[in-house]
Amino acid sequence: MSAVLRWLVAMGLALVASAVGAHGEKAQMPQLRMSTVHWFDLEVSTTKLSVNDEIVVRGRFMPSMHWPHHVESIEDTAFLNIGVPGPAFVRLESRVNGVPMIRSTRFFRGETYEFMIRMKARKPGRYHVHPLINVKGTGPIIGPGRWIEVGGDPAAFELKAKTLLGREIDLESYGFANVLGWSAFWFLLGLSWFVYWLWKCPIVIPRFKQRDELGVDADRMITRTDRRTGLIYLAVTLCAIVGGYQYAQASYPITTPLQTGRVDVPPADPGPRVVTATMVEARYRIPGRSFRIEMEVTNHGDKALSIGEMAAGNLRFINAAVKPVQPADEDDLVAVDSLRVENAPIPPGETRTVVIYADDALWETQRMTTMIKSPDANVAALLFFYDTDGRRHHVEIGGPMIPVFG
């Protein structure tokens, strides 16, 4: 019996370890990953650094035109953020299309935005770092992640800044003693109030019985000592509040309020529209883990266009014959040479019916197959076209998806 118990404990620990090591984007529904924000061109300046070293995360994203109707819109209130387990990094700077992101903003569907996040390593460890966008009423929309290794001594970390008056402070320890002192004061004050009534416990229970069984007026049970004690605690509390306010005003006469406003971010210039695409039909064949999309593609440019990549739900399916791509690491969600294209390239000025097949186990391993269970079985993806000069053009497609079980 003990051997069976040990086996069950081992299996439980293995499951917990697997869940902890899983990528954060797996936790989101496929519809959210495919039809909310398309992330692409993610880059990190380094994957190995030490405490106090800086890292820059760059990339682009495009809010989907097929945004789910039951999800709060990104065009209301949104905030660019970074997702990492625990306080492993300190964010020093973040920008979208060159605009500082210290406030909330809004992003328009169908527009392209370029982001940059600069951080400082704080704690040693191996972390899966994700860019993400917090959407009001919806929560975080997580982008693709990269594994980052941080070494060094955590005690050596420092984060210094200058105040408005030119004083240099360490943000890791600044004001800690003040916070600790006030926390201890209020804790002890509350604890003493609790102890006072706990000390009167032999009287409290009989009072409760008198009120409940004999109908005695509860207000008359409060003694003169109780009232005096309450007034003393009230006076101490009010004095502490007023005195603390006066002390803060005298110690810090110049302050800056929290940045709670919003800032507008102009979308990037999309340039001339070289290609348009409309989804005609999308089918996902469950046994073969194959996604088939039929679409009408029009080439408005003067050079032939080929499809080199399809990005959907942070997964990338590559047509190696057009644009070979290698994964950044073993956990990069890139399916190399998994995209088949029929009836392409598209000559200049022509409209063709093009069929693409995205076949790979990533659909299953990344939990994207659960999209067949959704009553709102709409999908969206970003296609990357390349002309004969190697220039890239991206366009979004989307629409209803039909599951195929045989």
Side-chain angles (χ1 to χ4, degrees):
M1 189 68 179
S2 61
V4 174
L5 182 60
R6 286 196 299 270
W7 181 82
L8 290 174
V9 171
M11 290 298 295
L13 291 175
L15 289 174
V16 171
S18 174
V20 171
H23 294 181
E25 59 265 36
K26 276 187 179 182
Q28 292 192 323
M29 295 184 297
Q31 286 73 24
L32 284 178
R33 295 171 61 183
M34 296 182 72
S35 303
T36 50
V37 178
H38 300 294
W39 301 86
F40 57 104
D41 293 348
L42 180 67
E43 297 178 357
V44 293
S45 58
T46 181
T47 57
K48 292 185 178 181
L49 65 162
S50 298
V51 171
N52 288 319
D53 289 344
E54 294 185 7
I55 181 174
V56 178
V57 180
R58 299 179 182 273
R60 294 180 175 87
F61 65 88
M62 185 182 78
S64 175
M65 291 296 296
H66 302 273
W67 192 276
H69 68 277
H70 60 276
V71 176
E72 294 289 339
S73 177
I74 198 171
E75 295 184 346
D76 181 14
T77 303
F79 182 73
L80 176 70
N81 212 333
I82 199 78
V84 63
F89 297 88
V90 173
R91 186 173 58 180
L92 303 177
E93 180 185 13
S94 59
R95 293 176 179 269
V96 175
N97 287 351
V99 179
M101 284 290 97
I102 60 175
R103 301 178 181 178
S104 297
T105 184
R106 58 178 178 170
F107 301 114
F108 297 98
R109 296 184 298 165
E111 301 290 351
T112 302
Y113 299 89
E114 183 173 351
F115 71 90
M116 182 278 295
I117 302 173
R118 184 167 61 92
M119 302 182 296
K120 190 175 186 179
R122 184 174 182 269
K123 292 178 63 178
R126 187 170 182 261
Y127 307 102
H128 204 228
V129 178
H130 302 258
L132 59 87
I133 296 176
N134 293 107
V135 180
K136 180 182 177 181
T138 298
I141 304 297
I142 302 175
R146 291 288 185 272
W147 284 106
I148 307 297
E149 294 184 13
V150 180
D153 182 9
F157 177 75
E158 59 179 20
L159 182 63
K160 301 206 174 161
K162 281 190 176 182
T163 66
L164 293 174
L165 300 178
R167 177 187 172 192
E168 188 174 67
I169 60 175
D170 187 354
L171 294 178
E172 280 292 287
S173 58
Y174 180 73
F176 179 75
N178 194 31
V179 172
L180 186 63
W182 278 105
S183 298
F185 170 78
W186 290 115
F187 174 78
L188 293 175
L189 184 67
L191 182 63
S192 64
W193 178 253
F194 175 75
V195 168
Y196 171 79
W197 288 103
L198 187 66
W199 170 70
K200 295 175 68 66
C201 205
I203 300 177
V204 171
I205 295 178
R207 285 179 175 181
F208 174 78
K209 289 183 177 181
Q210 292 180 33
R211 186 199 63 81
D212 192 54
E213 297 176 2
L214 304 179
V216 179
D217 186 5
D219 291 337
R220 293 190 176 185
M221 297 180 190
I222 304 298
T223 65
R224 180 176 297 179
T225 303
D226 295 337
R227 298 180 189 278
R228 289 176 178 175
T229 303
L231 288 175
I232 292 173
Y233 272 89
L234 176 62
V236 171
T237 301
L238 292 177
C239 288
I241 293 174
V242 175
Y245 174 79
Q246 295 295 333
Y247 171 78
Q249 284 290 100
S251 301
Y252 313 102
I254 302 177
T255 58
T256 301
L258 294 175
Q259 303 297 298
T260 57
R262 294 206 320 180
V263 62
D264 290 329
V265 178
D269 183 10
R273 177 173 289 187
V274 175
V275 58
T276 56
T278 303
M279 180 185 291
V280 177
E281 182 184 74
R283 292 177 178 266
Y284 179 73
R285 186 172 177 269
I286 299 172
R289 296 176 296 196
S290 174
F291 211 105
R292 179 187 183 276
I293 300 177
E294 180 180 336
M295 55 189 170
E296 295 288 334
V297 180
T298 301
N299 184 355
H300 303 283
D302 56 0
K303 291 180 173 59
L305 295 175
S306 300
I307 301 177
E309 179 182 342
M310 184 186 85
N314 295 339
L315 310 182
R316 299 174 63 191
F317 301 91
I318 307 301
N319 183 359
V322 176
K323 187 68 174 179
V325 174
Q326 294 300 321
D329 53 48
E330 60 181 6
D331 296 300
D332 195 7
L333 304 181
V334 177
V336 179
D337 201 15
S338 60
L339 189 66
R340 295 187 292 116
V341 183
E342 295 180 354
N343 202 23
I346 303 97
E350 286 195 16
T351 298
R352 283 190 177 184
T353 299
V354 179
V355 179
I356 61 175
Y357 296 87
D359 306 338
D360 197 85
L362 283 178
W363 291 114
E364 185 172 339
T365 59
Q366 296 302 310
R367 303 177 184 174
M368 298 293 288
T369 55
T370 56
M371 60 186 168
I372 66 174
K373 303 177 183 179
S374 172
D376 183 17
N378 287 327
V379 297
L382 205 60
L383 294 178
F384 295 92
F385 291 81
Y386 294 85
D387 63 22
T388 52
D389 291 337
R391 287 191 293 266
R392 188 183 70 174
H393 310 277
H394 62 269
V395 63
E396 185 189 23
I397 57 173
M401 181 273 301
I402 302 173
V404 179
F405 296 90

